[in-house]
Amino acid sequence: MEETETGESIRRLDYEAKITGRAQYLADMKVPGMCHGKILRSPHPHARIRSLDTSKALSIRGVLAVLTRDDIVKDQGIDPYYGPVFKDQTIVAVEKVRHVGDPVAAVAALEPEAAEEALSRIEIDYEEMPAVLDVSEAMAKGAPLLHESVRMPPHGFADLAELKPVEGTNICTHFKLVKGDVEKGFAESDYIFEDTFTLPTTQHCSLEPHGCIASVERDGRIVVWSTTQNPFVVRTQLANIFKVSVSKVRIVVPYLGGGYGGKVYPKLEPLTVALARKARRPVRIVLSREEVFYTITKHAAVIRMKTGVKKDGTLVARQCEVLLDTGAYAEIGPRVAKKSGYTAAGPYKIPNVKIDSMSIYTNRPPAGAFRGFGVSQSAWAHESQMDVIAAALNMDPLEIRLKNGYEEGSEFVTGETLSSLGLKSCVEKVAAAIGWKEKRAAQPNGPVRRGKGIACMIKATITPSISCAVVKLNEDASATIYTGTVEMGQGSDTVLAQIVAREMGISAENIQVLGVDTDVAPYDLTTSSSRSTFHMGKAVQLAAQDLLNQLKQIVVQDYGVPPDQVKFSNGRVQFLETVLDYQEILFKRFGMQGGTLVGQGQVKTKVTHERGVKTTSSFWFLGAGAAEVEVDCETGKLRLVKYVTAVDVGKAINPLGCRQQLEGAAITGMGQALFEEIVFDNGQIVNPNFVDYVLPSLGDMPPSIEPILVEVPHLEGPFGAKGIGETALIPVAPAIANAIFDAVGVRIRDLPIKAEKIFLALEEAKKKL
Amino acid sequence: MKKQIHVRVNGLETELQVEPRMTLLEVVREQLGLTGAKLGCDIQVCGACTLLLNGKPVSACSVLAVDADGGDVLTIEGLAGQGSLHPLQEAFMEFGALQCGYCTSGFILTAKAMLEENPRPGEAEIRSYLAGNFCRCGCYQEIVQAIKRVAGR
Ligand code: FES
Ligand code: FES
């Protein structure tokens, strides 16, 4: 077991259950009286529903209920419209369908087969409408509109309050950010570079598909078991839809088989609850793999970058236009576009910046959160262009980054001051590990060329936000942690236990982390945005400190000791000549073996105003990646030789857990860089399965992926820790593209980087010779 | 029409009534409540549903239960001995070869089958034998390390 100053790679708390097959995931659960639900989905990208006939479906044996628009529109107890940012989604389609796969009806039946059979008997008369199938069609003059008007939620997210759909267009939101004067900056520049970069729609592909079990009790209470990353947001949304107070909605979350952003915000829950309500018994729906592809995706993007530089490589002005395909519903797209926009100019000190970042409605499945949250899109553009610039100026890509990169105290695009910034250290460490200095080493003979590339990033976390925690000290001096943080593989249960263990001086083995249940756990905004270690970690730390204070009070009262004489160390309390453990103190207080102390902690990050400037993020993600590749000039075939990722983790609470997150994110980044792509044909997904949508496997891995933990502590994080879940993914694609350029001199601007793209680019380059 | 089949599951002789269209995975998960094997892709590519049938790894999502009649099935639940875990389970924990755990039973059972065929695989053999199992959390390096540790014993 390896130790760093504060960190220790203890065995994860969730391992024993997972390694023996006993860990429960949603699809493993059954509740008494449960029946099975299936969803009928639209075959058209855009169509009006003229009529629906469910009579034949209802006559199938074992069918308990069929849910259509009639049930949700006519029912006074239901508001059919919902959505985390705008209420533009309905439980099932009401007037029209807006993408292939849009839910139109649902069936509950005793057996899944009966439900399936019933789906095929529902008759729907569609009137097809012209569709907009990508961002440029959606932006064209006179384009058909997806939403004629959009309803606003009663209490929207504080950070998105200023964003509204642009009326009469398919622009869902338009985020603007300006610093200085780009036109003046371009005029002062020696060179101007203009490039366009694109990324396709992709999918999270958590091995566990989305699932939900819903039950509506006789008194109207709604109980939901769901594969969700943010149960409290889902609770609020369900309370609004079904017009009850949040206390009447209970969300329970088992272990998740991966999330990666694909399981935030309501997905299946509204429909499953509506179906359970109608069927009058609990309903379980587990999506097929194909349905997952139609449920949520990662935003495709078109990004235009215009950058002005001085001869010496100083960045003077940068203008970024980020167009994100948000699909048929806003979902959390507006925030993705905002986050993408904030850092679209990259982690660089640039005096003049103009950013326009838009989420745009199209007739495709909704796009939402994906590990990296819009920043893996914008970083593909800014990091690729940095190397375009470096090459034109004959500068070293490492040097141009170090020259312009943010450092402690730099001013961000918004005007706020940046702090706790391990950016340059990450860049330098990946460069050293990949052997940057030796990069001009002799090429192997033959058609295969080697090259190295580097890329870096900055990203904000969701701010403002709230995390509350309760820690219970039991009579045997063990502790129980109650939080809303979802263990989805990232290791949060273990990290939270380690923080409490360290704070209280007890062993993590004596700490239990309860699964998420909104009836029991205090509020937490979300398990996403790499925020849990920083926010919930701090909340449990405060809760543990609260417990220590209570113990101190007890000692003062029960043993008559002055407060300043009471000291804690290693799970014991010392005063005068006495050393007691927690158990003895509790025993004395309660007079018997029994009793509980409850500590609580709250973290509420704010948007503070510094010189009239709002802070964007309670802390920043910084990281860098470096790739070494081999490219076969005759075929375009690419081989990853080595990949290095460095992330500023603040302080590693569990170093092995940190490395797992870095490597895992980097591997997903490799898939996104090299082959992942959803292919559409008239709004239909051509490859909604794991044969045609290729995921990275062991066969695709480079011989070595090296994670490097950089520790620049953050004052407000628990023991200095920051969040890290997304960081390592973001530099991967541009680092690889930059390495390809280094190897063979061709610039790939459109992901994924398939061999044929490299081959065609090489052919193109040969023609120009 | 249900059909009666007889299988040995984790060492226990078991009689089952199954529909002819039911997969081995459905029967093991739904009828026997052994939910350690997971449904990931349903088309025999991800490996999350891997079980050992007569010692060989199979994608249980794509094997009909009736075809397993008379067979010997090992699931992750049957891997640990009384009071002690299998060395692969120990090594997976030690090296951190899992995060969400959804792929884990498939990887461990596949690795077990590989080690039975070839007790001393090299790294390249491990990588190619397990190339048919996906881990979206990206624990590949740790998985290889864990298996190497067990293979080295
Ligand atoms: S679920 Fe059987 S191989 Fe994927
Ligand atoms: S541990 Fe999550 S898929 Fe492998």
Side-chain angles (χ1 to χ4, degrees):
Chain A
M1 207 169 293
E2 141 235 27
E3 286 215 36
T4 65
E5 203 184 317
T6 42
E8 194 184 339
S9 297
I10 66 161
R11 175 168 291 182
R12 280 172 54 160
L13 270 47
D14 52 343
Y15 271 3
E16 185 96 17
K18 288 177 176 175
I19 210 84
T20 51
R22 284 206 313 274
Q24 274 221 330
Y25 300 79
L26 193 283
D28 306 335
M29 299 175 63
K30 286 181 182 154
V31 304
M34 184 182 93
C35 63
H36 303 270
K38 295 273 178 194
I39 303 171
L40 183 68
R41 295 170 180 277
S42 165
H44 305 294
H46 204 188
R48 205 171 300 288
I49 301 173
R50 283 209 201 93
S51 64
L52 274 137
D53 183 352
T54 60
S55 50
K56 290 194 183 124
L58 279 164
S59 68
I60 305 277
R61 219 163 118 164
V63 168
L64 299 164
V66 180
L67 182 84
T68 67
R69 61 185 180 183
D70 291 342
D71 301 296
I72 59 169
V73 175
K74 293 188 190 137
D75 190 329
Q76 292 302 316
I78 296 182
D79 176 355
Y81 296 90
Y82 71 97
V85 185
F86 306 135
K87 286 168 61 175
D88 60 359
Q89 242 170 311
T90 51
I91 298 172
V92 286
V94 173
E95 275 152 24
K96 60 179 189 173
V97 289
R98 294 186 176 84
H99 67 92
V100 175
D102 212 355
V104 181
V107 174
L110 292 175
E111 297 298 331
E113 295 73 22
E116 202 77 64
E117 165 88 33
L119 290 187
S120 67
R121 302 293 182 86
I122 298 175
E123 289 166 8
I124 303 178
D125 184 13
Y126 289 105
E127 177 191 328
E128 286 189 58
M129 299 165 71
V132 290
L133 297 171
D134 61 31
V135 166
S136 61
E137 285 181 28
M139 301 275 279
K141 242 203 164 91
L145 296 183
L146 270 94
H147 300 270
E148 282 73 24
S149 67
V150 166
R151 292 168 173 79
M152 294 296 163
H155 307 285
F157 287 112
D159 64 324
L160 302 175
E162 80 282 16
L163 296 173
K164 303 271 177 305
V166 181
E167 234 175 277
T169 73
N170 285 313
I171 299 173
C172 175
T173 53
H174 183 167
F175 171 71
K176 302 174 189 180
L177 186 59
V178 174
K179 179 187 186 190
D181 178 345
V182 275
E183 291 311 326
K184 191 167 141 274
F186 289 137
E188 288 165 11
S189 301
D190 294 324
Y191 302 102
I192 290 178
F193 296 85
E194 288 186 75
D195 295 278
T196 300
F197 300 91
T198 70
L199 303 93
T201 306
T202 57
Q203 219 279 329
H204 314 72
C205 298
S206 50
L207 282 196
E208 176 198 44
H210 301 73
C212 181
I213 302 173
S215 167
V216 181
E217 316 282 304
R218 290 190 69 85
D219 63 358
R221 258 179 76 77
I222 296 168
V223 186
V224 168
W225 293 261
S226 180
T227 56
T228 181
Q229 293 176 234
N230 52 7
F232 286 92
V233 174
V234 170
R235 182 177 72 155
T236 308
Q237 293 272 320
L238 291 178
N240 291 342
I241 294 170
F242 296 99
K243 302 185 178 173
V244 293
S245 84
V246 290
S247 64
K248 293 263 186 282
V249 183
R250 175 184 177 203
I251 316 279
V252 183
V253 188
Y255 282 129
L256 296 198
Y260 325 112
K263 293 172 179 168
V264 276
Y265 304 103
K267 294 283 184 288
L268 274 176
E269 299 89 350
L271 184 147
T272 315
V273 173
L275 190 57
R277 202 165 177 266
K278 188 160 187 207
R280 294 170 180 275
R281 54 200 287 174
V283 174
R284 179 173 88 182
I285 301 183
V286 175
L287 294 187
S288 70
R289 182 54 55 188
E290 176 168 5
E291 287 181 290
V292 173
F293 276 91
Y294 282 109
T295 297
I296 192 72
T297 64
K298 174 180 171 183
H299 290 78
V302 178
I303 302 171
R304 298 192 187 97
M305 302 286 285
K306 182 174 176 186
T307 305
V309 295
K310 291 277 189 203
K311 279 195 192 93
D312 67 354
T314 306
L315 300 180
V316 184
R318 196 163 227 187
Q319 184 172 354
C320 318
E321 184 191 67
V322 184
L323 306 180
L324 294 160
D325 181 342
T326 213
Y329 300 104
E331 242 267 351
I332 199 62
R335 186 182 282 139
V336 173
K338 186 171 178 180
K339 282 272 162 55
S340 187
Y342 265 132
T343 55
Y348 304 111
K349 301 170 275 187
I350 313 174
N352 306 292
V353 176
K354 182 168 185 289
I355 290 161
D356 292 272
S357 182
M358 293 180 229
S359 59
I360 295 156
Y361 286 127
T362 66
N363 293 108
R364 283 184 175 186
F370 186 108
R371 205 171 190 178
F373 213 79
V375 181
S376 66
Q377 286 93 332
S378 52
W380 166 239
H382 65 66
E383 287 309 279
S384 293
Q385 203 193 34
M386 285 306 278
D387 273 38
V388 170
I389 297 169
L393 300 183
N394 208 4
M395 258 182 101
D396 183 340
L398 174 62
E399 194 194 319
I400 196 168
R401 287 182 172 79
L402 291 174
K403 182 181 179 74
N404 291 286
Y406 281 139
E407 45 210 345
E408 201 63 30
S410 291
E411 189 182 88
F412 186 56
V413 190
T414 54
E416 73 205 82
T417 308
L418 294 170
S419 65
S420 178
L421 233 52
L423 177 71
K424 288 198 173 174
S425 170
C426 289
V427 171
E428 281 160 353
K429 291 209 157 125
V430 294
I434 205 81
W436 191 261
K437 292 238 171 69
E438 304 90 65
K439 69 184 298 229
R440 301 289 161 202
Q443 290 286 359
N445 287 327
V448 174
R449 303 265 142 224
R450 279 203 174 199
K452 292 176 189 174
I454 199 165
C456 56
M457 59 72 74
I458 182 167
K459 183 186 175 290
T461 188
I462 180 172
T463 310
S465 78
I466 303 169
S467 287
C468 303
V470 163
V471 178
K472 199 173 83 173
L473 182 62
N474 305 304
E475 67 266 35
D476 61 352
S478 68
T480 313
I481 299 176
Y482 299 77
T483 77
T485 295
V486 175
E487 175 58 81
M488 52 190 184
Q490 82 281 38
S492 53
D493 282 3
T494 308
V495 163
L496 297 180
Q498 284 186 266
I499 291 168
V500 170
R502 178 164 287 268
E503 198 61 43
M504 300 195 60
I506 58 182
S507 152
E509 280 165 25
N510 291 328
I511 297 180
Q512 206 197 348
V513 182
L514 237 64
V516 177
D517 179 339
T518 58
D519 268 10
V520 180
Y523 186 89
D524 176 51
L525 180 63
T526 175
T527 305
S528 62
S529 206
S530 310
R531 65 182 290 282
S532 299
T533 299
F534 184 89
H535 297 84
M536 193 56 85
K538 190 72 189 179
V540 298
Q541 188 180 29
L542 293 172
Q545 286 166 0
D546 182 11
L547 280 175
L548 296 182
N549 274 329
Q550 293 179 38
L551 284 167
K552 188 175 195 171
Q553 288 308 319
I554 292 173
V555 171
V556 170
Q557 289 165 13
D558 295 2
Y559 297 83
V561 186
D564 57 350
Q565 301 280 310
V566 184
K567 300 269 175 294
F568 289 89
S569 99
N570 289 327
R572 286 166 198 277
V573 189
Q574 294 176 13
F575 49 91
L576 311 173
E577 300 299 295
T578 315
V579 180
L580 293 177
D581 59 27
Y582 301 158
Q583 210 168 337
E584 291 167 291
I585 296 168
L586 288 175
F587 191 86
K588 169 137 175 151
R589 163 57 44 127
F590 291 103
M592 62 173 82
Q593 180 79 15
T596 304
L597 297 184
V598 176
Q600 63 120 3
Q602 298 167 353
V603 168
K604 176 179 167 294
T605 59
K606 328 192 259 294
V607 175
T608 51
H609 293 258
E610 179 198 346
R611 292 176 282 110
V613 177
K614 282 189 197 170
T615 45
T616 306
S617 185
S618 51
F619 68 96
W620 294 93
F621 309 121
L622 294 316
E628 179 167 16
V629 302
E630 270 180 11
V631 182
D632 185 328
C633 293
E634 283 169 1
T635 61
K637 193 167 159 23
L638 174 90
R639 192 174 81 85
L640 258 181
V641 179
K642 183 176 169 132
Y643 190 80
V644 186
T645 166
V647 170
D648 176 3
V649 304
K651 262 295 171 204
I653 308 272
N654 187 316
L656 175 57
C658 290
R659 288 199 297 272
Q660 287 180 321
Q661 281 290 294
L662 265 56
E663 285 174 39
I667 289 170
T668 304
M670 289 170 200
Q672 303 270 309
L674 302 179
F675 32 75
E676 290 183 41
E677 172 175 30
I678 292 183
V679 181
F680 290 95
D681 179 17
N682 192 30
Q684 182 109 26
I685 299 180
V686 174
N687 57 343
N689 60 66
F690 287 169
V691 171
D692 303 304
Y693 183 99
V694 184
L695 296 182
S697 80
L698 249 174
D700 304 304
M701 291 299 105
S704 153
I705 301 171
E706 186 183 334
I708 300 173
L709 310 181
V710 170
E711 295 187 320
V712 179
H714 193 288
L715 279 179
E716 282 153 39
F719 306 110
K722 301 178 204 173
I724 58 165
E726 299 162 279
T727 311
L729 187 150
I730 293 166
V732 180
I736 292 175
N738 292 341
I740 294 168
F741 181 84
D742 184 48
V744 294
V746 299
R747 171 63 48 193
I748 305 296
R749 290 180 164 78
D750 308 294
L751 289 182
I753 312 173
K754 297 198 172 158
E756 68 208 55
K757 271 188 203 160
I758 303 176
F759 174 77
L760 291 173
L762 285 165
E763 292 295 298
E764 199 58 34
K766 272 185 214 153
K767 275 189 223 150
K768 285 190 190 140
L769 284 181
Chain B
M1 248 328 250
K2 289 205 171 165
K3 193 171 177 288
Q4 171 152 325
I5 61 167
H6 181 106
V7 277
R8 223 176 124 83
V9 182
N10 299 334
L12 270 181
E13 304 294 339
T14 315
E15 302 284 344
L16 292 162
Q17 303 290 329
V18 304
E19 298 279 353
R21 55 166 172 72
M22 285 185 100
T23 66
L24 181 58
L25 183 67
E26 285 171 310
V27 169
V28 165
R29 284 178 52 87
E30 304 291 332
Q31 292 193 20
L32 299 177
L34 299 170
T35 55
K38 308 296 182 197
L39 185 68
C41 66
D42 212 3
I43 50 169
Q44 224 178 334
V45 287
C46 75
C49 64
T50 306
L51 297 176
L52 299 190
L53 178 59
N54 304 321
K56 296 272 170 266
V58 294
S59 296
C61 69
S62 306
V63 172
L64 290 176
V66 290
D67 290 339
D69 192 9
D72 190 297
V73 176
L74 182 72
T75 76
I76 191 74
E77 290 89 346
L79 188 61
Q82 285 289 358
S84 71
L85 293 172
H86 188 276
L88 279 165
Q89 290 172 311
E90 289 288 356
F92 266 56
M93 294 201 283
E94 184 187 338
F95 286 89
L98 62 149
Q99 295 191 53
C100 80
Y102 218 71
C103 66
T104 309
S105 68
F107 268 102
I108 290 182
L109 291 172
T110 310
K112 179 178 189 296
M114 172 183 66
L115 293 176
E116 255 144 47
E117 281 171 35
N118 175 6
R120 295 251 175 279
E123 177 157 340
E125 285 161 299
I126 297 174
R127 284 178 182 253
S128 92
Y129 199 98
L130 289 157
N133 290 64
F134 291 148
C135 176
R136 186 55 153 173
C137 295
C139 301
Y140 293 128
Q141 296 205 129
E142 292 80 2
I143 290 169
V144 172
Q145 286 164 0
I147 296 171
K148 266 165 78 175
R149 157 65 56 91
V150 178
R153 288 216 176 108

